Amino acid sequence: LLQEGKSVLILVPEISLTPVMQKRFTDIFGDNVVVLHSRLTPAQRLRRWERARRGIGKIVLGPRSSVFVPIPNLSLIVVDEEQDHSYKQESPSPRYNARDVALMRGKIEDVPVIMGSATPSIESFHNAQNGKFELLRLPERPGGSQLPNVTVLDMKAERVLGSSLSATLVARMNDVLMSGKQVMLLLNRRGYARYARCPECGYMWRCPDCEINFTYHEWNHKLMCHYCGRIEPEPAKCPFCEGVKLSFFGTGTQRLERTLNEIFPEMTIARMDLDSTMVKGELERIISEVTEGNVNILTGTQMIGKGFDFPDIQLTGIIMTDLGLSFPDFRARETTFRLLTQAAGRAGRRKILGDVYIQTSIPDEYSIYHASRQDFEGFYREEIVNRRRFHYPPYSRLILFTVSSTKAESASKGIQALKEKLMILRDLYKGRLFHLLGPAPAPMYKRNKYYRHQLLLKLDSVTKFNELLRKRYPDAPMGIIPRDLRLAINVDPQDML
């Protein structure tokens, strides 16, 4: 395609994957690659955008916003890790899914779209099963390596060491490290501790703007809210009983890193999460150090489970696997299966046979069972039954309505008024799927000083609903709720919180 003067657009779900993908493509195509993402300076982004617009760079690579870059002679769109939630822009508006935009752009410009994934989204695989998409299989791993051996550790029966590490996993880590190979540990929780509490009176420090527990970060001795970004210094004493002790509960990646340094003091340990990669160039440095074998143990959040090809990682350990299953989200099992499968795929990517240890308290849960066998289709067959039964995608389209206000009572009244208007539309919908759930307080009731209430609408057709909405309420969304309230309308939401 490039020899014919045509261009290619390649989307990746996260900025963290751009250095790896950039190297792979520039090693082959040289200066033809243009990388765009939000961590570039405005001047850099402008120069690269102009290169792409003029067709000087034939391969445009970047995260979700790159789907809108004007590219002359576009001939192919590639969406890597198509299932990833990061492709969805949840806030602020416009709330779009770059994968779906890529499909529509391919249709408009009459170019093929290739969506790649080892764990496709349930919706995409369903479309492939029904013939809407063409399914292409890659039955072998790159380089002919074998799938890793997977061991599920039932934490109800395991002896637990510091930071939720089982004794069995630590022993296996020691064997691998002594053989000169690398270990990767995934814990999908940032920070040092999940919450801070006064042991004298039980007081817990919460973000006043979001009413959720602060996460303690040891590296800067701060309490941080991971939703609104509020930061407070580590308290010297309890504001209620004036106790001077502070207890930390729950393990995050920073605490895990400290435990690993205590257990393996001779080993070099690197942590890759949002906090450790905020400084420019630090992400690239960590990737390079791990790839060159200068790091013995790599730990981090879900960031380390996506797309990286570290040749000497023999063992992958997944800590606190059950975390994601507790989320109030119909995709919780799919997300857990995906995270486990993707992380397991980091082990044994060359000639060595990899090992994966999954720590869980519910080993019989079907998402964990099928992930331990790298069996996507087995998981799909069980998951699709529940989706069909409860009319969740791919058997419906979802619209999440969120009304928010700085006054709790106003938000509650506003969502009730919205429901009444939507119920009028239901009566006009004429027998099609129109299932309205709620109203109810959002799972995360208060965020950044705003109280939030939600309605979830299940439909067979967003297009038909939109036509009916415009006909009944021509000025929508204006006039549906009072002007002093915020209304967010999220079609096909990925974040249900």
Side-chain angles (χ1 to χ4, degrees), residues 83 85 119 121-123 188 302 320-341 360 362 365-369 371 379 383 386-387 390 392-393 398 443 493-497:
Q83 82 291 341
H85 292 181
T119 56
S121 65
I122 297 296
E123 294 89 334
N188 200 25
Q302 61 178 343
M320 300 176 70
T321 302
D322 314 336
L323 283 174
L325 292 169
S326 63
F327 276 74
D329 186 347
F330 73 94
R331 291 191 179 93
R333 283 190 169 101
E334 180 183 1
T335 302
T336 297
F337 172 85
R338 177 184 306 150
L339 180 62
L340 296 181
T341 305
T360 177
I362 44 176
E365 215 298 313
Y366 72 80
S367 60
I368 296 173
Y369 173 84
F379 170 74
E383 180 69 9
N386 290 327
R387 299 290 182 93
F390 296 108
Y392 279 114
L398 301 182
Q494 298 291 321
D495 180 2
M496 306 295 288
L497 298 180

Side-chain angles (χ1 to χ4, degrees), residues 284-334:
E284 292 82 353
R285 185 194 67 79
I286 295 173
I287 293 172
S288 176
E289 290 289 298
V290 177
T291 303
E292 293 173 6
N294 298 326
V295 170
N296 303 113
I297 304 174
L298 172 66
T299 184
T301 56
Q302 61 178 343
M303 181 186 296
I304 64 176
K306 301 177 182 178
F308 295 111
D309 185 16
F310 299 128
D312 288 327
I313 288 182
Q314 183 174 350
L315 172 65
T316 295
I318 305 171
I319 316 300
M320 300 176 70
T321 302
D322 314 336
L323 283 174
L325 292 169
S326 63
F327 276 74
D329 186 347
F330 73 94
R331 291 191 179 93
R333 283 190 169 101
E334 180 183 1

Side-chain angles (χ1 to χ4, degrees), residues 231-251:
I231 299 176
E232 293 188 359
E234 180 180 344
K237 62 182 180 179
C238 175
F240 278 84
C241 71
E242 296 190 347
V244 295
K245 293 183 178 180
L246 193 66
S247 298
F248 300 108
F249 296 89
T251 297

Side-chain angles (χ1 to χ4, degrees), residues 90-91 209-211 225 227-228 404 444-452 486 495-497:
E90 296 284 356
S91 182
D209 296 336
C210 300
E211 294 186 352
C225 175
Y227 288 92
C228 71
S404 56
M444 187 176 174
Y445 180 44
K446 189 180 182 184
R447 182 182 291 184
N448 202 13
K449 300 181 181 179
Y450 278 81
Y451 296 93
R452 306 159 68 245
R486 289 183 176 182
D495 180 2
M496 306 295 288
L497 298 180

Side-chain angles (χ1 to χ4, degrees), residues 89-357:
Q89 168 75 21
E90 296 284 356
S91 182
S93 295
R95 297 176 174 86
Y96 67 94
N97 190 316
R99 177 199 62 192
D100 299 338
V101 174
L103 290 170
M104 181 57 69
R105 183 171 183 179
K107 182 178 180 179
I108 292 172
E109 300 197 32
D110 193 26
V111 299
V113 179
I114 297 176
M115 299 190 296
S117 176
T119 56
S121 65
I122 297 296
E123 294 89 334
S124 292
F125 193 76
H126 183 75
N127 284 333
Q129 295 292 94
N130 291 338
K132 187 174 181 180
F133 296 164
E134 182 180 358
L135 179 62
L136 303 175
R137 299 179 184 270
L138 296 175
E140 297 180 2
R141 299 182 91 190
S145 60
Q146 300 179 26
L147 289 174
N149 293 321
V150 180
T151 302
V152 178
L153 300 176
D154 187 346
M155 297 303 288
K156 298 189 298 293
E158 285 286 321
R159 184 165 63 92
V160 180
L161 304 179
S163 296
S164 300
L165 289 169
S166 71
T168 302
L169 175 57
V170 170
R172 181 61 183 138
M173 289 175 62
N174 187 68
D175 292 340
V176 170
L177 293 170
M178 290 300 100
S179 71
K181 297 299 182 182
Q182 294 171 309
V183 173
M184 186 180 89
L185 296 181
L186 186 148
L187 171 59
N188 200 25
R189 179 184 284 163
R190 292 167 53 202
Y192 181 84
R194 186 162 55 95
Y195 59 92
R197 189 177 72 186
C198 172
E200 302 294 331
C201 69
Y203 174 80
M204 295 178 63
W205 277 263
R206 296 176 180 269
C207 172
D209 296 336
C210 300
E211 294 186 352
I212 63 167
N213 297 332
F214 276 118
T215 298
Y216 177 65
H217 286 249
E218 186 188 40
W219 66 276
N220 60 358
H221 300 285
K222 303 287 186 182
L223 298 175
M224 300 178 64
C225 175
H226 288 170
Y227 288 92
C228 71
R230 186 185 181 101
I231 299 176
E232 293 188 359
E234 180 180 344
K237 62 182 180 179
C238 175
F240 278 84
C241 71
E242 296 190 347
V244 295
K245 293 183 178 180
L246 193 66
S247 298
F248 300 108
F249 296 89
T251 297
T253 50
Q254 294 174 21
R255 193 171 202 161
L256 177 60
E257 182 183 24
R258 169 184 273 198
T259 299
L260 292 171
N261 277 309
E262 293 171 353
I263 298 175
F264 301 104
E266 304 297 323
M267 299 298 167
T268 302
I269 299 167
R271 173 170 53 87
M272 186 189 298
D273 55 25
L274 184 60
D275 303 302
S276 66
T277 59
M278 292 182 66
V279 177
K280 185 176 180 180
E282 193 62 15
L283 173 64
E284 292 82 353
R285 185 194 67 79
I286 295 173
I287 293 172
S288 176
E289 290 289 298
V290 177
T291 303
E292 293 173 6
N294 298 326
V295 170
N296 303 113
I297 304 174
L298 172 66
T299 184
T301 56
Q302 61 178 343
M303 181 186 296
I304 64 176
K306 301 177 182 178
F308 295 111
D309 185 16
F310 299 128
D312 288 327
I313 288 182
Q314 183 174 350
L315 172 65
T316 295
I318 305 171
I319 316 300
M320 300 176 70
T321 302
D322 314 336
L323 283 174
L325 292 169
S326 63
F327 276 74
D329 186 347
F330 73 94
R331 291 191 179 93
R333 283 190 169 101
E334 180 183 1
T335 302
T336 297
F337 172 85
R338 177 184 306 150
L339 180 62
L340 296 181
T341 305
Q342 295 277 357
R346 301 311 106 202
R349 296 183 64 84
R350 291 297 183 267
K351 297 302 180 182
I352 59 173
L353 181 62
D355 284 324
V356 178
Y357 281 67

Side-chain angles (χ1 to χ4, degrees), residues 56-118:
I56 300 173
K58 301 297 184 183
I59 299 176
V60 178
L61 170 68
R64 61 178 178 239
S65 60
S66 302
V67 75
F68 299 110
V69 175
I71 303 173
N73 299 317
L74 182 64
S75 60
L76 175 65
I77 301 174
V78 178
V79 184
D80 188 37
E81 305 288 0
E82 66 85 24
Q83 82 291 341
D84 201 291
H85 292 181
S86 299
Y87 280 121
K88 181 64 188 284
Q89 168 75 21
E90 296 284 356
S91 182
S93 295
R95 297 176 174 86
Y96 67 94
N97 190 316
R99 177 199 62 192
D100 299 338
V101 174
L103 290 170
M104 181 57 69
R105 183 171 183 179
K107 182 178 180 179
I108 292 172
E109 300 197 32
D110 193 26
V111 299
V113 179
I114 297 176
M115 299 190 296
S117 176

